Amino acid sequence: LPPALLLVGEDEVWLDASVRLHAKLPAANIPSDLRIFDGMWHVWPMTEGLPESEEALSLIAEFIQRHR
């Protein structure tokens, strides 16, 4: 698997699964970055105008640059 970027909100339905996945990926030699955003919900990065959305998109761009 390729490196993983996990952006998850603290009110996200996949929060627990994301934390577990992030904990297990290093055992498979897969780099993983996890960032939990306070007060955010499922797919919040798609919400235009939120500062957290802008931050998430910046993190995605940085991750891609680092792993390309």
Side-chain angles (χ1 to χ4, degrees):
L1 295 173
L5 174 61
L6 306 167
L7 303 178
V8 63
E10 73 175 356
D11 292 333
E12 164 73 54
V13 67
W14 295 108
L15 175 60
D16 293 340
S18 297
V19 171
R20 286 192 309 269
L21 178 61
H22 176 68
K24 291 182 179 188
L25 287 174
N29 256 352
I30 299 169
S32 175
D33 293 347
L34 171 67
R35 173 71 193 275
I36 300 171
F37 283 76
D38 295 338
M40 293 294 104
W41 54 89
H42 189 63
V43 299
W44 89 92
M46 303 298 286
T47 305
E48 189 176 339
L50 288 177
E52 293 87 352
S53 297
E54 295 298 322
E55 184 178 356
L57 294 175
S58 291
L59 289 170
I60 292 167
E62 291 168 14
F63 182 83
I64 290 170
Q65 289 297 318
R66 225 176 32 244
H67 293 285
R68 52 181 243 177

